Amino acid sequence: MKPMFEWTDDEIRDYYDSNPNLTILTYAGMLGLSGGELKEILNTDGEWKLEFGSAVDKEEEAMAEEMFETEAPTTRNYW
């Protein structure tokens, strides 16, 4: 088996698809790429393959959205 840094784009996409719990940044590090470079490889036909990303990516995205939508609790009374 050849080293990951010699993989073709198709091999990179296949490995990502078969490992749903692998995050983009972890996988990019394994390949010696930046997260942006890996996202470009995973991009197919103008649509992000990440739309169907790993469960961890989806969980991180949901947590970030919730964090910004939730108002911070306050001890001040505004009346």
Side-chain angles (χ1 to χ4, degrees):
M1 179 176 219
K2 61 185 172 182
M4 289 180 118
F5 65 86
E6 293 180 358
W7 284 4
T8 65
D9 290 355
D10 286 335
E11 290 171 313
I12 290 171
R13 283 188 288 271
D14 289 343
Y15 187 85
Y16 184 75
D17 289 343
S18 64
N19 293 280
N21 292 326
L22 190 61
T23 66
I24 292 293
L25 292 178
T26 300
Y27 191 30
M30 293 166 57
L31 293 165
L33 302 171
S34 70
E37 291 170 325
L38 178 56
K39 286 180 181 182
E40 286 181 29
I41 292 171
L42 297 176
N43 184 10
T44 38
D45 298 329
E47 293 183 27
W48 288 106
K49 195 166 194 71
L50 299 178
E51 177 180 35
F52 308 104
S54 74
V56 173
D57 290 336
K58 290 178 182 177
E59 183 179 334
E60 288 175 356
E61 180 181 357
M63 287 174 58
E65 285 179 13
E66 181 181 327
M67 201 168 70
F68 289 106
E69 289 175 2
T70 306
E71 291 185 25
T74 180
T75 57
R76 296 181 183 164
N77 296 318
Y78 295 100
W79 66 84

